[in-house]
Amino acid sequence: MSFAPAPILETERLILRAPAPEDFDAWAMFSADEETMRHLGGVQARSVAWRGICQVTGAWAIRGFSMFSVIEKTSGRWIGRLGPWQPQDWPGTEVGWGLSRDAWGKGYATEGAAACMDYAFDILGWTEAIHTIEPANVASQAVAKRLGSTLLGPAAMPAPYQDMKVEAWGQTREQWLARRND
């Protein structure tokens, strides 16, 4: 089975596109930042970040969807990755996000995730979307709430993340559409 190339989604302030080779240096700096990675599995060496960007990029070919690189329109800078995500044995169909620290507090996670929720429900045909969030990650919980998601309860993560304590936040396609059409 082959899939069409990854789409490019645009919001008012962001371009969401498949990761590209020129994203790697910024991706590696993101992955090496202790504060940024505090709730995302911990700091990663550059070699591990390389495998991470390849994993996200490869998922486009294998699954037909994956996280996007987030590009700030005004600067052209790579500021994070977000989007639909469902590795093997993941607890559900996820729309997740992770942004560079200098992009926090600007509403980019909510803006980009909302575009990805539309994509997941309208194009991918998902019936629900979750967000796996560590209980201490209050900022991501706030993004989930702004998207209209609610706490569903603890989620079991697959290896090698089986020891991470996360909660699933989420909503159904019907809930998303009702909120979007209000």
Side-chain angles (χ1 to χ4, degrees), residues 16 20 39 41 43 67 70 75 98 101 119-120 130 137 153 156 159 173 181:
L16 308 177
H39 299 296
V43 170
M67 288 198 172
V70 182
S75 68
R101 197 176 346 162
Y119 176 74
I130 65 164
N137 191 344
R173 180 180 189 277
N181 294 329

Side-chain angles (χ1 to χ4, degrees), residues 29-44 81 97-99 101 104 133-140 164-166:
M29 289 190 320
F30 163 89
S31 300
D33 184 87
E34 189 173 337
E35 183 65 17
T36 298
M37 296 301 290
R38 181 167 42 127
H39 299 296
L40 298 175
V43 170
Q44 297 177 351
R81 41 102 181 133
W97 50 85
L99 298 178
R101 197 176 346 162
W104 292 357
I133 302 172
E134 285 189 349
N137 191 344
V138 176
S140 278
M164 285 182 69
K165 303 289 186 219
V166 298

Side-chain angles (χ1 to χ4, degrees), residues 32-157:
D33 184 87
E34 189 173 337
E35 183 65 17
T36 298
M37 296 301 290
R38 181 167 42 127
H39 299 296
L40 298 175
V43 170
Q44 297 177 351
R46 189 171 173 86
S47 60
V48 177
W50 172 255
R51 290 190 291 278
I53 195 172
C54 289
Q55 176 185 27
V56 168
T57 304
W60 279 106
I62 301 296
R63 303 282 290 187
F65 63 87
S66 187
M67 288 198 172
F68 295 93
S69 277
V70 182
I71 309 300
E72 186 180 53
K73 278 186 179 180
T74 57
S75 68
R77 288 183 318 119
W78 184 95
I79 59 168
R81 41 102 181 133
L82 59 75
W85 187 237
Q86 191 184 24
Q88 184 67 42
D89 300 326
W90 211 247
T93 48
E94 177 165 19
V95 171
W97 50 85
L99 298 178
S100 300
R101 197 176 346 162
D102 63 349
W104 292 357
K106 298 178 181 180
Y108 289 157
T110 304
E111 183 177 328
C116 289
M117 296 281 283
D118 283 340
Y119 176 74
F121 290 132
D122 296 345
I123 305 302
L124 299 178
W126 288 5
T127 57
E128 69 176 359
I130 65 164
H131 325 291
T132 54
I133 302 172
E134 285 189 349
N137 191 344
V138 176
S140 278
Q141 292 170 12
V143 171
K145 289 175 187 176
R146 282 192 293 276
L147 292 169
S149 293
T150 58
L151 178 61
L152 303 175
M157 299 295 283

